[in-house]
Amino acid sequence: IVKTKGTVLVLGRSGTGETVCICDRMEYDGQLYSSNPAFRQLFVSRSTRLCRYVEEAVGERKYCAFTTF
């Protein structure tokens, strides 16, 4: 999941590691593409708590946005 090219949708049951994969992927892509001014990342979650957790895990970056729906 981390090194797959393009957009990735991660689905899984509770406790299977989706959040870890997402955080690792955001970090990996950030290392590769953050020098590109057009690079952006968007994390969307139904859970405010999960959104806050991922934002804290990934860290505040100018190219990242975190939101819930």
Side-chain angles (χ1 to χ4, degrees):
I1 290 173
V2 173
K3 294 185 179 182
T4 301
K5 294 185 187 247
T7 302
V8 177
L9 174 63
V10 181
L11 299 173
R13 296 178 69 141
S14 299
T16 58
E18 309 96 338
T19 304
V20 173
C21 287
I22 289 167
C23 292
D24 288 350
R25 173 64 186 261
M26 290 181 78
E27 179 65 31
Y28 180 77
D29 283 351
Q31 290 175 3
L32 288 179
Y33 305 113
S34 63
S35 61
N36 180 344
F39 176 68
R40 299 285 182 271
Q41 289 180 314
L42 173 63
F43 177 82
V44 180
S45 172
R46 291 178 59 182
S47 164
T48 303
R49 186 174 170 194
L50 176 61
C51 190
R52 198 173 326 122
Y53 175 84
V54 172
E55 184 172 10
E56 290 173 5
V58 171
E60 188 174 323
R61 298 175 182 162
K62 62 183 178 184
Y63 54 83
C64 291
F66 302 86
T67 190
T68 59
F69 71 95

